[in-house]
Amino acid sequence: MTVHSPRLRNSSGAELNLRSQILFQDQTRTRTSDLVTAVGSWHKTYVHESSHWARYHGSTVGILLSLLRRTRDQLAAYTISHLPRQDVEHLHEDRSSGLPVTVFVAPQWGSRSPGPA
């Protein structure tokens, strides 16, 4: 899920676009040629995926995580828009080659081993 095209995808290949509320189903996984059964399957999947969305955003934790994700994305977009073009190109090259943008490095404490003083 991204800020620009939030969507839910299930294991059978169906994808619910949360902005447009359009449900896309993988045609190769649809096993029926009957129109009524196909529409019923689409509706069932749409309601099912929508319920996940409602349950997630209806909870306090879901709202908090959504706000944190949106804040993170806006902060990144703002920061990148104010970087020099050369730095942006360097970040893009690194990201395209599979390198992470940020890396967590555990702090190195003193060389003394912990023990009694």
Side-chain angles (χ1 to χ4, degrees):
M1 183 189 285
T2 65
V3 171
H4 301 294
S5 65
R7 60 187 179 263
L8 296 172
R9 181 175 302 191
N10 69 10
S11 60
S12 67
E15 182 177 300
L16 175 62
N17 184 305
L18 300 170
R19 285 214 201 290
S20 64
Q21 291 295 307
I22 296 174
L23 176 69
F24 300 95
Q25 287 186 307
D26 184 1
Q27 294 301 319
T28 61
R29 297 191 132 198
T30 305
R31 296 187 177 109
T32 182
S33 59
D34 177 22
L35 179 63
V36 175
T37 306
V39 170
S41 172
W42 179 91
H43 181 72
K44 177 184 68 84
T45 305
Y46 178 81
V47 170
H48 176 83
E49 294 304 319
S50 295
S51 69
H52 288 303
W53 175 253
R55 187 178 335 148
Y56 177 75
H57 287 287
S59 69
T60 304
V61 172
I63 292 170
L64 173 65
L65 292 175
S66 294
L67 289 173
L68 287 173
R69 180 176 42 242
R70 182 154 174 83
T71 302
R72 177 204 61 196
D73 292 345
Q74 287 180 333
L75 181 60
Y78 175 82
T79 302
I80 289 172
S81 71
H82 285 79
L83 286 175
R85 183 169 179 79
Q86 193 174 31
D87 291 345
V88 173
E89 289 174 358
H90 179 70
L91 284 173
H92 180 69
E93 289 171 6
D94 287 350
R95 190 71 183 122
S96 297
S97 66
L99 295 173
V101 175
T102 59
V103 178
F104 174 75
V105 178
Q108 298 295 320
W109 304 104
S111 61
R112 295 186 311 163
S113 62

